Amino acid sequence: MILRGKIRSDAPLIVLALEEEAAHLDTDLPVLVTGMGKVNAAVALAATLAGGVRPSLVVNLGTAGALRPGWDGLHEIGSVFQHDLDTELLRNLTGHVCGPPLTLGTQPAVLATGDTFVADDATRARLAQRADLVDMEGYAIASAAAQAGVPCRLIKRVSDEAGDGAFRSWQESVDACARDLATWLRSELP
């Protein structure tokens, strides 16, 4: 976990998983780099938000795999769920809803979050039945922000097609994705 800048109640907190995704950010806003995966993201953001001063907004910028043909560019997420947590099974087992899907806004993009880098066609096809994009941190960040009572936006830049060859595609595209995310930040949150 790396926190650059000081959290302010009158400003957003920018949250990314990796330094590669933050490579082109040029901002006076505080930036939190959490590390990859749901646990790292949730722990880093929760610890940061527990530090006293809470930001006006949490903005998660990051890369995501496209689960359907034609999905590219930047997308703001309207809802997010955990694809690696069987919420229905756990509800049937315990009677409690664990990790329900989260609604963030009215945008149509649906994000599936899980601790697996999706890089095979079968998993992509299965997830495409419920979501448009897949990542490894979005749900955790949205959940931690919600628990702290801080509004949250998830902005994802498609880096790969979440199928065979996704590892190579992500490595080749992460720098361009980071540039687009930095451009979005400059234009949306000057």
Side-chain angles (χ1 to χ4, degrees):
M1 173 178 97
I2 300 167
L3 177 61
R4 292 187 217 130
K6 187 174 179 179
I7 306 294
R8 302 186 329 250
S9 62
D10 66 338
L13 170 63
I14 310 307
V15 180
L16 304 99
L18 298 169
E19 287 286 348
E20 291 90 340
E21 295 170 327
H24 299 286
L25 293 183
D26 181 21
T27 181
D28 291 331
L29 297 173
V31 174
L32 175 66
V33 179
T34 66
M36 289 177 69
K38 293 189 304 183
V39 172
N40 287 330
V43 169
L45 182 57
T48 300
L49 294 176
V53 177
R54 293 198 176 150
S56 61
L57 174 70
V58 168
V59 178
N60 171 224
L61 302 176
T63 56
L67 297 172
R68 298 189 178 132
W71 279 77
D72 59 8
L74 285 161
H75 299 276
E76 183 158 1
I77 304 303
S79 63
V80 59
F81 68 92
Q82 297 179 82
H83 71 78
D84 59 353
L85 180 68
D86 193 336
T87 55
E88 187 63 25
L89 173 83
L90 294 173
R91 186 184 61 75
N92 289 335
L93 181 67
T94 66
H96 302 284
V97 176
C98 301
L102 301 174
T103 300
L104 302 172
T106 59
Q107 301 80 7
V110 177
L111 178 67
T113 296
D115 278 322
T116 302
F117 185 88
V118 176
D120 68 89
D121 292 340
T123 303
R124 180 185 66 205
R126 178 179 55 80
L127 292 176
Q129 295 174 18
R130 296 181 57 201
D132 307 303
L133 302 170
V134 62
D135 84 338
M136 296 178 65
E137 298 84 21
Y139 184 93
I141 291 166
S143 181
Q147 290 294 315
V150 179
C152 182
R153 293 175 72 182
L154 305 180
I155 309 300
K156 299 297 173 176
R157 168 59 161 82
V158 174
S159 57
D160 58 81
E161 293 184 356
D164 295 336
F167 290 117
R168 186 179 63 254
S169 296
W170 184 88
Q171 290 172 329
E172 293 170 355
S173 68
V174 68
D175 191 66
C177 292
R179 288 180 191 281
D180 289 348
L181 291 166
T183 299
W184 180 90
L185 182 63
R186 281 191 300 274
S187 68
E188 294 294 319
L189 302 174

